[in-house]
Each structure stands twice: as C-alpha cells, then as structure tokens.
C-alpha cells in the first residue's frame, strides 16, 4: 500500500528542536525514546498428555469425581496413590487470605499466615502503569507460593458499570482498554511463579444487588466491545490457567452452565485451555454444568459430597445421564494445569517468600503512583515541614485500617501504616501532630430487604456528628498551623454482596468538612475510598483535595510522601466521577439494579463514553489527575497518514516538564471514527503511556496502536470490522483534556 507523509526525519527534527529549547544546558541531551513494554504468557504445555491419559486410565470413578469439586473450603481431592496432589486455592485481590478451617469460614488461628496487604484494584488502576501491574502479580505470586497455593482467585476485572457497585474498589476501571492493559501483565507476573490466575468474574457480573440470580441482558456488540475484551486478553495474551464462572445469569442461563459463554466463546473462539472454576456456591445443575463447560465446583453452604459435581455426578454416571468420557475431559484439564504449575512432573517450583520488606516495598511502589491530586489551588501542596510548628490531623479515616473488613476477602497482616502513622513517621520530631477523630463510623439497624431494591448491607448510616468530637475537631483546626482532614469510606461500607444506595459521604462528613473549612480555609481534604462519592460541595470550598485508596500495607507512608512532596502525585482516575448519580449511564437510563432481569440500556456508552457522547460535564473526568509540576504534550505525529487494516499506527509524542519538580505524566490517546456507518461513542481510549520526565526536560515516547484496535464488532457478520475511513485522534492527560490532534486514514 502506498504510504503518505513519511515522518521519520520530521520526528528527529521535532525532538531536536524541543530538547534544545530546554532551560538548562546540561539537560539538552536527547534521552532514548521510551516505548511500551509488552507482556505475554506461556500456554499450558501439551508434552504431558500421554502421562495424563495414563493416570486417568488408572483412576476410579470416585477419584475422578473427587477432583471436580471442593473437598474443603479452598481445595479439591488429590489421588495420593497416583501422585496427584490437591489443587489448593487462595483468595484474593488484596493479598493472600489467612488460612481458614477446611469445612467453615472460621479462621484457623495460625501464627504463620501473615501476608502483605496490597493496594486494591482501584489503586492499581489509578497508577495507570502496566509495569506495576506486573510487579503486583510477581509479588503476590511469590506470597502464594510461600503458602503452597496453586491458584490465586484474582484478578477481579469486571467493568465498573455503576459508581454504586459494592466491589468498585476491587475492580480496575470503567474502560475495557485500560482494563486489559492491566490484566495481562498482572496474570503474566503471577503465573511466572507457577501460580495460576483465576480471572473473575466471567462475565457481566457488574452489580452485587441480586447477583445470585439476576439475568443480565446485553446486546452482542456491547458484550464484545465493553465487557469481554479483558477476559479475552487474559486468555489469548496472558494465557490464564483458570477462569471463575460468575453467580449471575446471562441471557437466561446461569454463567456456570452457560454453553455460549463457556464453550462457544471461551474455549471455541478464544482457545482457552485452562479450567473453569465456579464462584462459591454458584452452581445450579450437574449434567448441564459439566457439559456446558464447568470443570470444578467450589462452595460452602452444604456438605462437600452433596455438591452438584460430587455424589449427584456419580449418580448421573450410573444412570447414564453423563458419560465417563465427559468426566475424563474435565479431569484431564485439571491435570494439565497441575503439570503446567509443576505441582506434578518433578520440576522444581519457586519456594516463594511472604510478608517481606521487599514485598512491602512493592506495595509502596504501587500506592505511591496511585494517589490522585484533584485540586491544588494556590499551590497549597506539597506541604513543607520547614518552620511548621504544628499540624492538625482530623477524621476517623486517618486511623482506619482496611486490610480486613466487609463481606470479602481481606488480608491478615502485621503491617498496615495508617495515614496518621505515615505523617508521624515522616514529619520531623519538632512538628507537633494533633489528632481529632471528628466523626464516628456508626450504622443504624439493618432494614429488611425488599425484593428488587439495592441491597446495601450497611447502608443505614448514622450521619449526625457527635457534638464533643466536632468541638474537638474545630479546636484542632483553629489551633494548628496546617490541617489535613481525612474523610471518605472504608471496606465495611464498600463491600462485596451489596451495593451502595447513593453517592453521599456517610457519617456526617460533609458537615464536618464544611465546618472545619470555615475555621481553617487552608485545610487539605484527603478522601480515602474505592469508588466515586459526591464531593461537589467540597470541591467548591476546599483549596486542596487529594484522593487515595485502600492502598495496602504502606498506603499511609505513600500518602504522607505525596502530601509532603517526597513523591510527586501521578495517579489518574480510572473511572468518571459524576456530579450527580443520575448523570451516570446505568442510572440515567433507569437500568440499575433491575429485579430478576437487568438490561444494559446504555449499551456501549459506559463511563466516560456516556458523558462525552451526551455532553454531560462530570465532576472529574476519566483519566484526570494533577501534579506538583506542569507538563506539555508537544507534537504527536503518526509514522504514516494511510494504513491497512493489518498495520500498526506508531505515534511519537514529546512530553515536556515545564515545572520545577521531576514528575510522571500519563499520555492518553483517544480515537473516533469519522462518518462511521454504525453508532460509536464520541471517543475511546486506544493508547496510554506513563513517562517520568525530569524538571525542565523533554522526553520522546512512542506508542503503538494496532489498526485492529479501531474495529467495531459487526453483529451481522459476527466478526470484528475495521471501517475504511478517517480516524481522528486526540492526545492529552485525561478524557477531557486535548493538547494535540491528528488524523489517519484506513483503506
């Protein structure tokens, strides 16, 4: 194909011009161009198939069935006489869960099951750094091996459809592209330790309300373009060894017995070679589940031998409802994973390590890049301790620990640095730190559940402030030179198994913040939460706002370092923060939470796609985050102007740090098809790169966009299609920031 506008010489000229204009002579040398790393996993090996077939031939029916269901809370039966071990699993997304009893959720009470508490998914995604996702996977994989685990029930990658979602803190993002770019390196890093990722929850599990039975209805194009890309990448790129079937139904069938999702798409289209594990107690049939793609049933509510794939499966075999050959298919899949993990075959496995200083450092690295600076009027931040006599710290979230809490997998850890402790550890001894609790975390008695309503387990918060605590907080605000107020949420309020009822900050915090700001207008507000909240009035009145997350064992240290300027904030929001709940698509279309059925009426317009297409101004846009320095994205130029569908668009862009502090910027590239014959969102994220640029310097980066990323899913042909048309690109540092534009044509 004819290429127009060859730009390699132009790139060099641009780079020379920009770099030669920097302020310091010593900084005029051109640094090597930074490109994106790529990650790919290793497929399940096939060289052990003959040995596996021989083992299956020696097994009894009872032994085979024992491998297809849980025989403890987190393991299945092995066959010791044949050298087949148990398959041992562990939660979860925040780190390796403490050991529990074999037949109940009761903690085992061991003294050797402490682990590192890692940042929750929202914190990792806010870092916008695939290399940190790989580091996370590597680090938690070492901990899983140290505890003798074969499968980690992570990552949790469902799309954030509603800001009220109880597991928004745990999931990555509202955007499918960012989602897959974090999912793949996490899985690769984890599985390099011979620990299988169990990617969850497959699929369309986007609410906790009625999750056990709600029937999700999504059109095919939306399913393929929004809700499946990260799962597909987990299989095709990362080579994930296991997938977790979700609780909910999809188009009328439970997902653990959904032949279209498990057999047709997962195995048929994507070539998945691993095992499908049910979510706990998510199975509803014996023969249908097995024949439609489920390999392993896990759960808790009844004796293990009563599981659908336990004694009932033996009965189905004896009656002829299912064949032994069908059983063998699933046993073979499990054995192949055991060999791939070196749990069998005689190869040495990594010993791993757990709860180490190195792993605490990994948790710190992620947390330090995740903190988002939302507002900094008058350069109130960063704080300096020079000449500071006292500092006031207000708010229960200054001392709240989140490694445990809520109805979800937590981490038993010996180290969780709170924000107050982080500040105390980092500030000089001569600075007096005065703390006031400010508000109480209190809940009213739980109301009776009403069918079809949002089922928030602890939604009834007591929002009146305690007068004595308020008085103490206002006194601290008046008597200290600088105030930091820690507010937000916690893992008791944001929790699995229930969604929030609204975006309101609980426990009377807005009133507390407003009164403290009246006493001390220079109060810095720090929100710690995993999901959007209504902070509109706070945005209007506070001069400085910082957003942090359930950020792991070193979260308080990382946050203190950002506040004190030891780390320049580089986090970006992984979701859109609305001004009003009804601005969000699932709520504007009145399609959340549904009752027995929920229809995704917003279609493709999830998150920023809705806000940008409908011209609705968010409180803070997707990808937004400030810095203590300033950046300018200069020329962003494609290598060519015309491309074929099989080509890759390579873009070179310059990023100049025009401020006085070293910092990291996230360059984001959004695209839209011009004159498309199908309805498309106003724009979609198609590339991003995080780059460190020293103060006063400029760096050149290259980003690659396969033209196939511009495709839409054609429901008529049931295939992906790249339209021959012009594509317009914007480059900036959020979905609403545009610094550079360019266009290319696909023929």
């Amino acid at each position: 194909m004819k290429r127009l506008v060859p730009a390699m010489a132009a790139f060099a000229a641009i780079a020379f011009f920009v770099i030669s204009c920097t302020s310091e002579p010593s900084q005029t040398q051109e640094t090597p161009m930074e490109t994106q790393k790529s990650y790919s996993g290793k497929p399940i090996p096939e060289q052990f198939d003959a040995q596996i077939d021989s083992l299956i031939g020696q097994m009894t029916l009872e032994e085979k069935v024992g491998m297809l269901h849980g025989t403890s809370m987190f393991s299945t039966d092995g066959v010791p006489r044949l050298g087949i071990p148990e398959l041992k699993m562990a939660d979860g997304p925040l780190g390796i869960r403490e050991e529990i009893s074999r037949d109940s959720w009761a903690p085992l009470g061991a003294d050797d099951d402490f682990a590192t508490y890692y940042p929750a998914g929202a914190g990792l995604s806010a870092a916008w750094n695939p290399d940190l996702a790989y580091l996370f996977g590597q680090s938690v994989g070492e901990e899983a091996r140290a505890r003798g685990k074969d499968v980690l029930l992570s990552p949790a990658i469902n799309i954030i459809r509603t800001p009220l979602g109880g597991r928004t803190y745990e999931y990555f993002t509202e955007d499918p592209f960012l989602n897959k770019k974090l999912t793949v390196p996490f899985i690769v890093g984890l599985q390099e330790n011979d620990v299988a990722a169990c990617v969850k929850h497959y699929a369309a599990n986007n609410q906790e309300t009625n999750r056990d039975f709600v029937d999700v209805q999504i059109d095919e194009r939306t399913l393929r373009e929004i809700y499946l890309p990260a799962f597909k990448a987990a299989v095709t790129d990362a080579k994930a060894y296991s997938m977790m079937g979700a609780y909910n139904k999809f188009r009328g069938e439970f997902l653990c017995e959904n032949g279209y999702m498990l057999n047709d798409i997962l195995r048929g289209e994507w070539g998945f070679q691993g095992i499908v594990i049910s979510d706990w107690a998510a199975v509803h049939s014996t023969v249908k589940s097995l024949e439609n793609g489920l390999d392993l049933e896990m759960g808790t509510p009844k004796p293990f031998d009563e599981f659908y794939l336990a004694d009932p499966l033996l009965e189905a075999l004896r009656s002829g409802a299912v064949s032994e050959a069908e059983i063998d298919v699933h046993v073979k899949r499990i054995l192949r994973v055991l060999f791939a993990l070196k749990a069998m075959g005689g190869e040495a496995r990594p010993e791993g390590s757990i709860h180490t200083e190195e792993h605490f450092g990994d948790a710190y690295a992620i947390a330090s890049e995740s903190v988002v600076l939302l507002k900094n009027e008058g350069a109130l931040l960063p704080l300096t301790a020079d000449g500071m006599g006292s500092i006031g710290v207000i708010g229960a979230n200054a001392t709240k620990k989140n490694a445990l809490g809520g109805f979800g997998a937590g981490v038993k850890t010996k180290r969780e640095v709170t924000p107050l402790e982080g500040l105390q550890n980092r500030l000089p001894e001569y600075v007096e730190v005065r703390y006031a609790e400010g508000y109480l975390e209190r809940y009213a008695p739980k109301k009776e559940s009403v069918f079809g309503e949002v089922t928030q387990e602890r939604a009834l918060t007591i929002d009146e402030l305690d007068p004595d605590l308020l008085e103490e907080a206002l006194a601290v605000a008046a008597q200290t030179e600088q105030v930091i107020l820690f507010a937000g949420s916690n893992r008791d309020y944001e929790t699995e198994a229930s969604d929030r009822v609204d975006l309101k900050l609980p426990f009377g915090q807005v009133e507390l913040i407003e009164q403290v700001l009246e006493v001390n207008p220079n109060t810095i507000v720090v929100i710690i939460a995993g999901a959007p909240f209504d902070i509109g009035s706070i945005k209007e009145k506070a001069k400085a706002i910082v957003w942090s997350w359930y950020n792991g064992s070193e979260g308080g240290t990382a946050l203190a370092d950002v506040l004190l300027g030891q780390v320049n904030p580089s986090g970006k929001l992984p979701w859109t923060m609305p001004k009003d709940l009804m601005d969000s698509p699932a709520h504007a279309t009145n399609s959340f939470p549904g009752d027995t059925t929920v229809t995704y009426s917003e279609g493709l317009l999830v998150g920023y796609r809705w806000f940008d297409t409908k011209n609705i101004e968010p409180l803070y846009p997707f990808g937004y985050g400030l810095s203590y320095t300033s950046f300018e994205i200069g020329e962003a130029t494609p290598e060519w102007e015309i491309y074929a569908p099989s080509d890759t668009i390579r873009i070179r862009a310059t990023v100049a740090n025009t401020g006085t502090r070293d910092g990291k910027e996230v360059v984001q590239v959004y695209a839209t098809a011009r004159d498309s014959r199908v309805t498309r969102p106003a724009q979609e994220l198609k590339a991003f790169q995080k780059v460190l640029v020293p103060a006063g310097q400029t760096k050149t980066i290259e980003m690659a966009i396969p033209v196939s990323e511009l495709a839409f899913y054609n429901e008529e042909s049931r295939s992906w299609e790249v339209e021959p048309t012009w594509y317009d690109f914007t480059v900036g540092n959020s979905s609403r920031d545009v610094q550079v534009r360019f266009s290319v044509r696909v023929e």
Side-chain angles (χ1 to χ4, degrees), residues 31-36 127-131 369 570 572 627 629 631-633 653-657 662-668 688-694 697-703:
T31 55
M33 182 175 61
E34 296 197 10
T35 57
Q36 297 162 310
W128 283 65
N129 189 336
D131 296 339
E369 289 199 22
S570 63
K572 305 284 185 178
S627 171
T629 189
F631 296 98
E632 291 181 3
I633 301 171
T654 58
V655 186
N657 184 336
D662 298 348
K664 294 182 178 181
E665 179 63 297
V666 180
V667 181
Q668 302 166 39
F688 66 90
Q689 187 168 337
K690 194 165 199 175
V691 57
L692 170 63
V693 187
Q697 290 193 20
T698 297
K699 282 195 175 181
T700 303
I701 62 173
E702 182 179 274
M703 292 177 283

Side-chain angles (χ1 to χ4, degrees), residues 537-575:
S537 64
I538 299 169
K539 179 184 178 182
E540 291 179 4
K541 298 175 182 179
K543 294 181 180 179
I545 306 174
V546 174
W547 193 283
S548 191
W549 315 88
Y550 310 134
N551 241 351
S553 286
E554 289 289 346
T557 305
L559 183 53
D561 284 347
V562 169
L563 295 173
L564 296 171
Q566 298 303 306
V567 171
N568 196 340
S570 63
K572 305 284 185 178
L573 292 178
W575 32 248

Side-chain angles (χ1 to χ4, degrees), residues 268-573:
E269 294 184 25
W270 302 345
F272 179 63
Q273 298 296 312
I275 56 176
V276 177
I277 302 171
S278 78
D279 207 337
W280 268 231
V283 181
H284 297 268
S285 66
T286 299
V287 176
K288 186 177 181 180
S289 292
L290 205 65
E291 291 181 344
N292 282 350
L294 183 70
D295 298 302
L296 178 54
E297 177 185 6
M298 299 300 293
T300 58
K302 55 187 176 182
F304 299 117
D305 59 6
E306 295 180 13
F307 283 15
Y308 288 99
L309 299 191
D311 286 354
L313 180 55
L314 286 170
E315 290 298 321
L317 276 164
R318 296 185 185 107
S319 69
V322 69
S323 68
E324 187 172 356
E326 178 69 37
I327 299 292
D328 291 349
V329 168
H330 302 275
V331 172
K332 185 170 184 175
R333 289 172 181 165
I334 294 171
L335 287 171
R336 291 185 77 191
V337 168
L338 286 169
F339 273 97
L341 298 174
K342 301 174 187 173
M344 299 179 67
E347 291 187 68
R349 303 176 80 180
E351 293 184 1
S353 56
I354 194 166
H355 212 256
T356 64
E357 289 299 324
E358 181 180 6
H359 290 169
F360 292 138
D362 296 339
Y364 172 87
I366 299 165
S368 65
E369 289 199 22
S370 75
V371 178
V372 183
L373 179 62
L374 294 178
K375 185 176 181 181
N376 194 21
E377 184 180 301
L380 196 59
L381 287 168
L383 295 173
T384 177
D386 293 344
M388 182 188 295
S390 63
I391 186 170
V393 176
I394 297 172
N397 261 3
T399 59
K400 180 72 175 181
K401 294 189 175 183
N402 289 294
L404 297 170
F407 185 80
V411 180
K412 177 181 172 182
T413 186
K414 290 183 178 179
R415 182 184 299 182
E416 181 179 353
V417 180
T418 66
L420 178 60
E421 291 169 340
L423 287 167
Q424 290 171 330
N425 294 339
R426 288 302 202 232
L427 286 167
E429 291 185 1
Y430 62 77
V431 177
E432 179 190 8
V433 180
R434 294 187 56 187
Y435 172 65
E437 188 174 11
Y439 65 91
L440 293 173
E441 180 189 334
R442 297 183 293 176
Y443 301 89
K446 178 184 169 184
K447 71 175 183 178
E448 291 297 319
S449 176
V450 177
F451 181 76
E453 287 189 0
V454 179
T455 53
Q456 165 63 27
E457 293 292 318
R458 306 189 71 178
L460 298 179
T461 60
I462 296 176
D463 295 329
E464 292 79 22
L465 293 172
D466 179 279
D468 293 337
L469 293 184
L470 176 60
E471 183 179 354
E472 179 188 14
L474 296 179
V476 167
Q479 296 166 10
T480 52
E481 301 169 33
Q482 180 62 60
V483 175
I484 308 176
L485 197 159
F486 293 90
S489 184
N490 55 63
R491 287 194 56 242
D492 293 317
Y493 190 63
E494 295 180 64
T495 175
E496 179 185 349
S498 62
D499 298 315
R500 291 182 290 145
V501 296
D502 54 39
L503 294 179
K504 183 179 66 174
L505 277 175
F507 317 125
Q509 294 180 80
V510 172
E511 180 185 352
L512 172 66
I513 293 168
E514 290 178 346
Q515 291 206 38
V516 169
L517 283 170
E518 288 181 7
V519 172
N520 192 327
N522 289 328
T523 295
I524 297 162
V525 178
V526 179
I527 304 293
I528 298 174
F533 279 84
D534 180 3
I535 60 169
S537 64
I538 299 169
K539 179 184 178 182
E540 291 179 4
K541 298 175 182 179
K543 294 181 180 179
I545 306 174
V546 174
W547 193 283
S548 191
W549 315 88
Y550 310 134
N551 241 351
S553 286
E554 289 289 346
T557 305
L559 183 53
D561 284 347
V562 169
L563 295 173
L564 296 171
Q566 298 303 306
V567 171
N568 196 340
S570 63
K572 305 284 185 178
L573 292 178

